[in-house]
Each structure stands twice: as C-alpha cells, then as structure tokens.
Amino acid sequence: MRTINHWIGGGPSPRAVERTADVFNPATGEVTAKVAMATPADVDAAVDAAAAALPAWREASLAKRARVMFAYRELLERRKVELAALLTAEHGKVAADALGEVNRGLEVVEFACGLPQLLKGEFSENVSSDVDSYSIRQPVGVVAGITPFNFPAMVPMWMYPLALACGNTFVLKPSERDPSAANFCAELLAEAGLPPGVFNVVHGDKVAVDRILTHPEVGAVSFVGSTPIAKYIYDTGTAHGKRVQALGGAKNHMVVLPDADMELAADAVIGAAYGSAGERCMAISVMVAVGDAADRLIPLLKERIAKLKVGPGDDPSNEMGPLVTRAHLDKVRGYVDTGVAEGAELVVDGRDPKIPGHERGFFLRPCLFDRVTPSMTIYADEIFGPVLSIVRVATYDAALELVHANQYANGVAIFTNDGGAARKFQHEVRVGMVGINVPIPVPMAYYSFGGWKASLFGDTHVHGKEGVHFYTRGKVVTARWPDPRFRGVDLGFPQNR
Ligand code: NAD
C-alpha cells in the first residue's frame, strides 16, 4: 500500500517512517493509503530544512519571489483538475465543489503575485531638520501552518503563498485525514522554482503539532480547525513566544426576514447547509426564521432536499458526497438522534441514505430540523454535517439577540429586500463576516478572512493585508547624513525644533 511521506528539503523525507495512519476513500469506506505520522525528530528535520533555506530566500529579490508565485499559479491552473480529484478521493466532496475550493485557493496565490506592491513601506522626508524616516516590513523567519481536513488545498493556500512571498520559509502540517493535496502542491512549488527547504510538509497529529508549537526556531503559527484545538494552539504557541493566529469553529446563522424573496432564500440555504455535506466552516447550520418565514420556507426546502443527488463525489451528477470518516459520520448521526430525543421536529430524516454500490461509504442524506431552541444540543454544538436547524423568532431584535448569544461569530447572513434593515444588520451584528442575501460570505483573497469570539484567537485575520502583516515584522528607520552643523553633545531626548 502507498505511504504518503513528509516533504522535507525539496523532496520526500529520507527518514524511516515509524508510525502511520489510514487514509480512506469516504465514498467506499476503503483504506486507500497510509500516511506517515511525524515524530518530534521529523518536525525538527523540517524546521532545520526551513531554517537552512531562510537566509537565501529572504535575500531573494521581490521580483524573484513574485516570479515563483506566478509560475506556481500557472502550474496550479494547468493541473487544478488533478488536484481537485485528490480532494474528492480523500475528503469526499463532489468534483465541482473540489474545483471551487482549488479556484478560491488560487486567488490567494494570485494575490501573492502582487506582493512587491503590498510590501511597499512609507517614507517621510524631514521629520526633523535633515532627518528622514521610513518603514519597512521584513519576514518573520520560519513559520508554520496547521490546517483542517475540510479544505485540504484552500486553507493551506490562505497561508503559504503570502508567507513565502513575504520571504519566510514554511512548514505545513495538514490534516492527517486527507494529506495528499499538500504533497501535490509541494511538488508544484518545487517545479515552479521554489528552492529546496523553503516549503516543507510534515504529516501527523498532536505529536507533530506540539513540537511545532514549542520549537524555538518557529516564529509564527497559523492554525485553522476546531475551537478547542484553536484555543490550545493559541495558548501554547503564544506561551512559547510565537505570533499565533488560530481560527476556530463556527455555528453560522442565516436570518430570514418575512419580506425576503423566499425562493431565493430557500435556494441559498440549501447550498450553504448541505454543500460539501455541511463540512464547511462557513456552512449555514442555523436558519433564524423571523415571523411567518418558517411556514413559508419549509415546503420550499422539502421540495429542494428531495431533489438533491447524494453519492460518490467522482460522479459529476452528484451534488453532495459522503462525510470524511466513519467516526465523523457516527458523531453527526448521533447529533440527529439527540435532536429527536430533545424534542426538535425532524422534518427531513437523512439517516437511511441507501447509496447503491456504496453501502460502506460514510453517507448521510440532508437532515432538516424545525422548532429548534437554543437550549438544545443540536443548537449549541457545531455539528459539521448536513444538518440544518430552524429556530423560529418573532422579531428582528430577537434574531439579533440569538446571533449575539452564540459563542461563535465566524459568518452570518441576512436575507431581506429591505435595504435599511440589511444596513442596520451589517452595522449592529457582532460577527466577522457578513452576507447580505449572500449565504456564504467568504471574503475574496484581497480582503481578510476571520471570525470573532470563539471563532478566532489572535488579532489578525488570514490573507489580504492582514495576512501580509502577520507574516512580516515592522521596522522604522530614522536617518540623517552626517552634517557638521549638528555636532555637539546633547543629553536631551530627541525632539523636533
Ligand atoms: P481539528 O481541530 O480536529 O484539526 C485541525 C488540525 O489540528 C489538524 O491538522 C489536526 O491534525 C490538528 N489536531 C487535531 N487534534 C489536535 C490536538 N489534540 N492537538 C494538536 N493538534 C491537533 O479540525 P478538523 O476536524 O480537521 O476540521 C474541522 C474544524 O475546523 C471545524 O470545527 C471547522 O469549523 C473548523 N474550520 C474553521 C475554519 C475557519 O476559517 N474558522 C475553516 C475551516 C475549518
């Protein structure tokens, strides 16, 4: 059986593999590969390679670094269908969705191609007599990314294109559940001309992560994953003196006001709740129906759910694939059972999926709950599966209060035809990313992505200008050319005259 190895110093790691984990095809339930699980010594080897490559890479001209990104962009564009197929094979998402993920990642690579423009500093002439002042931003050094299973190509691309273009070297620890995309991208980066050691991949679990978090040579850590781990990463990484941005879980609400176009809202919530089997951090998992909106929406939702095609992701006619692992399927099914036991109304029950020829795949069909209340487990917890809960409220104010009472604040959406109501919502809502008649408001690469509250630990969002900021340190220079007029000892604090 194939073993997916670490990528260190420009090629597969030559070190012996001590421990492996199974990689599954979620559509069939079969083990398709083994992935190497890094020991602390493997992480040390990757960090050493990154540290050795740093001096030359940080001195490479901006033009050279941008050109590598341009070349990488071209290779990715040419080979994106292959990369998308790897995502389908290990994550399970359907082909069109996988390609969408790669395309959104590509946009960050395109943004990184413009880095020379983004790294420009500021210059002030004559801040004092014959004194000029200017600011520059320099790479942090060796930086690391730790990423989740649900976007194995795109989420790492939120990080490394900018980190590399800024002159850092990188160690990526992708999810052990779908590891192949990381190696594919490492090979393309090498082909694009990235010198050996500038980008490294270590596969593994907590053992690898803990070494990254405590390694003295690692200057910054970007993390995306669930909230308890995000908090742990933030606490441990910062305690070891690292700069950390740790993006966590979510429970995204879509508020539907009674004046909304209900057909439009129904189309939108179906895509946002069940796309990628609900395994998106920006998935809508709660619909907040204001006034009579629920009664009008439920028939439209049932009609649409009945037509959804669920099956293996490599069949282009399917719209929703399986969940990532058997353990995750069992967890999500368990939540549906709990929802029924706690008294929510299961309007559509997807627990008996019957996908002919794929009986051992990790499938669950869409589930829809009505009359969910905030005290129920299915409302409180992030389920991360194809389960949509409807909470009924009487007013806009009650909807806003509900959103604010939730521990998460990643994304939120409002559906309405009332511009004034939408504007009031965008102004008042305490959530990082807001959609107005847009259910999944994932910011473009040139804006930054990030939530508030338990959805993000740290103060910097990913990609966009904040990404450039995260991967660089500021420096300000104050300069005067020697001038005999300014001779003489002065013990006073420097000040303008
Ligand atoms: P996860 O937290 O289980 O794993 C994320 C990463 O952390 C993986 O690389 C994993 O190997 C590592 N990890 C797991 N357990 C660890 C531990 N005990 N100690 C150290 N490292 C550990 O998340 P997941 O299941 O892979 O991904 C789904 C989660 O990610 C969801 O909660 C989802 O909302 C979240 N997510 C958030 C965003 C966002 O932008 N906020 C984006 C995508 C996914």
Side-chain angles (χ1 to χ4, degrees):
M1 180 157 299
R2 185 170 60 102
T3 298
I4 300 159
N5 202 347
H6 318 296
W7 179 276
I8 297 176
S13 165
R15 300 169 55 80
V17 174
E18 290 178 20
R19 199 163 59 101
T20 61
D22 290 339
V23 178
F24 293 90
N25 177 346
T28 62
E30 285 163 3
V31 176
T32 53
K34 301 271 180 195
V35 59
M37 301 291 272
T39 60
D42 292 322
V43 174
D44 288 354
V47 175
D48 286 350
L54 183 65
W57 182 245
R58 63 180 296 154
E59 295 308 322
S61 69
L62 285 170
K64 155 102 186 148
R65 296 193 321 236
R67 272 185 205 131
V68 171
M69 283 301 134
F70 273 110
Y72 180 54
R73 189 254 169 221
E74 289 308 300
L75 288 167
L76 261 181
E77 180 63 40
R78 215 180 305 146
R79 308 225 5 224
K80 64 185 179 186
V81 174
E82 279 169 74
L83 177 55
L86 283 180
L87 307 185
T88 298
E90 293 180 357
H91 173 284
K93 60 178 73 179
V94 298
D97 191 37
L99 196 57
E101 165 179 353
V102 176
N103 281 329
R104 290 303 299 262
L106 242 170
E107 288 172 1
V108 185
V109 179
E110 288 167 351
F111 179 68
C113 290
L115 207 84
Q117 177 70 13
L118 293 160
L119 269 187
K120 278 184 185 167
E122 295 167 314
F123 189 101
S124 302
E125 194 183 42
N126 272 348
V127 293
S128 187
S129 309
D130 292 328
V131 175
D132 300 330
S133 215
Y134 44 98
S135 66
I136 48 186
R137 297 206 68 89
Q138 298 186 325
V140 173
V142 177
V143 301
I146 301 161
T147 54
F149 81 84
N150 66 322
F151 284 108
M154 181 186 77
V155 167
M157 281 188 221
W158 284 355
M159 304 170 181
Y160 66 79
L162 277 181
L164 298 178
C166 286
N168 302 280
T169 55
F170 204 91
V171 176
L172 173 64
K173 207 303 284 170
S175 171
E176 64 277 32
R177 288 183 256 179
D178 39 21
S180 290
N183 285 35
F184 184 89
C185 292
E187 284 179 35
L188 291 196
L189 281 165
E191 199 181 330
L194 195 73
V198 175
F199 180 75
N200 308 276
V201 180
V202 286
H203 297 289
D205 52 12
K206 182 173 167 54
V207 174
V209 170
D210 284 348
R211 183 58 188 146
I212 290 171
L213 293 176
T214 53
H215 198 299
E217 201 68 47
V218 174
V221 176
S222 300
F223 172 87
V224 176
S226 59
T227 286
I229 311 295
K231 177 143 191 357
Y232 169 74
I233 301 282
Y234 185 78
D235 290 348
T236 314
T238 51
H240 286 83
K242 298 175 199 329
R243 189 179 274 215
V244 180
Q245 52 179 188
L247 282 69
K251 194 83 184 176
N252 306 307
H253 293 55
M254 170 168 152
V255 176
V256 184
L257 298 187
D259 76 305
D261 177 331
M262 293 297 162
E263 296 278 343
L264 188 82
D267 287 342
V269 79
I270 292 288
Y274 304 123
S276 200
E279 293 171 328
R280 289 181 184 143
C281 64
M282 290 292 275
I284 295 293
S285 50
V286 179
M287 193 167 81
V288 189
V290 181
D292 66 352
D295 291 334
R296 289 155 61 204
L297 276 164
I298 286 172
L300 304 179
L301 297 180
K302 283 166 76 173
E303 194 184 294
R304 283 161 174 77
I305 292 172
K307 289 189 199 146
L308 283 183
K309 277 205 72 190
V310 179
D314 57 5
D315 174 344
S317 69
N318 287 328
E319 295 164 286
M320 194 184 110
L323 291 161
V324 68
T325 55
R326 161 88 38 207
H328 190 53
L329 169 66
D330 291 345
K331 185 173 162 199
V332 176
R333 277 186 69 110
Y335 273 116
V336 181
D337 298 342
T338 305
V340 173
E342 288 184 346
E345 195 179 305
L346 187 56
V347 179
V348 180
D349 185 352
R351 285 175 294 177
D352 186 16
K354 288 205 182 70
I355 312 291
H358 290 80
E359 287 73 15
R360 303 192 56 204
F362 312 140
F363 289 97
L364 181 71
R365 284 187 185 274
C367 298
L368 177 65
F369 277 111
D370 188 16
R371 301 189 187 279
V372 174
T373 63
S375 62
M376 292 178 181
T377 312
I378 54 168
Y379 177 79
D381 290 4
E382 181 186 37
I383 299 175
F384 222 57
V387 182
L388 176 65
S389 296
I390 300 178
V391 180
R392 296 172 176 239
V393 297
T395 62
Y396 164 91
D397 286 337
L400 193 67
E401 211 173 287
L402 187 72
V403 171
H404 287 168
N406 201 278
Q407 63 161 322
Y408 299 109
N410 208 39
V412 71
I414 188 165
F415 274 66
T416 176
N417 280 326
D418 180 341
R423 191 184 177 284
K424 183 172 160 65
F425 184 76
Q426 104 192 357
H427 179 67
E428 292 177 340
V429 74
R430 297 195 289 270
V431 175
M433 293 170 283
V434 181
I436 296 174
N437 298 313
V438 170
I440 311 185
V442 175
M444 299 301 290
Y446 34 91
Y447 285 86
S448 298
F449 181 111
W452 294 6
K453 294 158 67 180
S455 295
L456 185 137
F457 302 89
D459 56 1
T460 318
H461 291 190
V462 293
H463 65 65
K465 279 190 204 149
E466 294 200 28
V468 175
H469 195 93
F470 184 76
Y471 293 122
T472 54
R473 288 184 212 280
K475 189 183 267 185
V476 179
V477 181
T478 305
R480 173 192 275 155
W481 285 92
D483 183 333
R485 280 180 302 150
F486 300 111
R487 283 213 183 108
V489 173
D490 181 356
L491 266 58
F493 193 66
Q495 58 180 300
N496 281 312
R497 298 192 199 282

